[in-house]
């Protein structure tokens, strides 16, 4: 019930801490199902790097901001292959965007798809307003859930060591 309440609150993001196998991912998936939200989780491989990470971030942002779907982005500490992943997640949590993630071509397609919704919201449809509307939609439709254990224990030692 708590996870469900968190992911339905505006800007509700969760950092779930516990021992491995305690059901954090399963409970997050259940809460998302109950709230009729989609779950997006990255698939890590040996060749997964910053380019694939940015592709996945574009996908999840388009899904939530452009397609107007409620999405839970499920991300585990074991999926951190590069420290830039943490910085990008921080940007998403704080501002609803990742700087320089979207190309001009991506934005043009997004703007065409969100223009009717933006006009209904009272915007005249210029690029700045459309971009701000897209970021606002991403912030309201995308919830981050991070079921982890070791990142809380290991990352501070790496930072302060």
């Amino acid at each position: 019930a708590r996870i469900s309440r968190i992911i339905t609150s505006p800007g509700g993001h969760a950092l779930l801490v516990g021992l491995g196998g305690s059901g954090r991912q399963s409970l997050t998936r259940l809460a998302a199902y109950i709230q009729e939200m989609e779950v997006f989780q990255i698939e890590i491989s040996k060749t997964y790097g910053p380019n694939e990470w940015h592709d996945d971030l574009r996908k999840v942002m388009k899904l939530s901001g452009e397609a107007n779907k409620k999405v839970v982005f499920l991300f585990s500490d074991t999926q951190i292959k590069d420290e830039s992943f943490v910085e990008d997640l921080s940007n998403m949590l704080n501002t609803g965007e990742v700087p320089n993630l979207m190309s001009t071509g991506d934005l043009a397609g997004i703007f065409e798809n969100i223009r009717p919704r933006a006009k209904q919201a009272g915007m005249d449809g210029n690029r700045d307003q459309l971009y701000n509307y897209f970021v606002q939609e991403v912030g309201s439709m995308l919830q981050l859930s991070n079921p982890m254990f070791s990142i809380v224990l290991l990352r501070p030692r790496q930072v302060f060591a």
Side-chain angles (χ1 to χ4, degrees):
R2 289 182 183 165
I3 297 172
S4 183
R5 189 172 45 244
I6 290 168
I7 64 174
T8 56
S9 66
H13 306 291
L15 175 66
L16 308 175
V17 180
L19 296 174
S22 60
R24 297 177 312 272
Q25 283 191 34
S26 298
L27 288 173
T28 301
R29 288 181 184 280
L30 177 63
Y33 176 78
I34 290 169
Q35 297 301 326
E36 298 177 350
M37 301 173 96
E38 291 192 30
V39 175
F40 184 90
Q41 189 168 21
I42 63 173
E43 305 253 346
I44 296 291
S45 65
K46 286 185 178 185
T47 60
Y48 194 90
N51 291 332
E52 292 80 11
W53 168 248
H54 286 148
D55 289 342
D56 283 336
L57 287 180
R58 275 191 281 286
K59 284 179 199 171
V60 75
M61 288 179 74
K62 285 180 177 182
L63 192 61
S64 60
E66 182 181 5
N68 201 31
K69 294 186 178 181
K70 293 182 179 183
V71 180
V72 172
F73 184 22
L74 191 56
F75 184 77
S76 174
D77 64 318
T78 58
Q79 296 172 321
I80 299 173
K81 299 274 277 192
D82 189 82
E83 290 299 318
S84 67
F85 293 9
V86 177
E87 184 179 341
D88 291 340
L89 284 176
S90 176
N91 284 328
M92 284 185 71
L93 286 170
N94 293 322
T95 64
E97 66 176 320
V98 177
N100 303 317
L101 181 66
M102 300 288 185
S103 69
T104 307
D106 289 335
L107 289 174
I110 290 168
F111 292 164
E112 287 305 311
N113 290 327
I114 66 170
R115 189 177 311 276
R117 291 197 326 258
K119 285 195 179 206
Q120 283 182 337
M123 298 180 186
D124 65 6
N126 69 40
R127 284 184 63 82
D128 290 337
Q129 284 187 342
L130 287 173
Y131 184 75
N132 290 335
Y133 182 76
F134 173 70
V135 170
Q136 177 186 338
E137 287 292 294
V138 169
S140 67
M141 301 300 270
L142 179 64
Q143 312 300 325
L144 294 173
S145 181
N146 190 335
M148 63 184 203
F149 179 66
S150 62
I151 192 170
V152 174
L153 300 175
L154 297 178
R155 299 278 177 206
R157 287 189 202 140
Q158 292 174 353
V159 171
F160 298 113

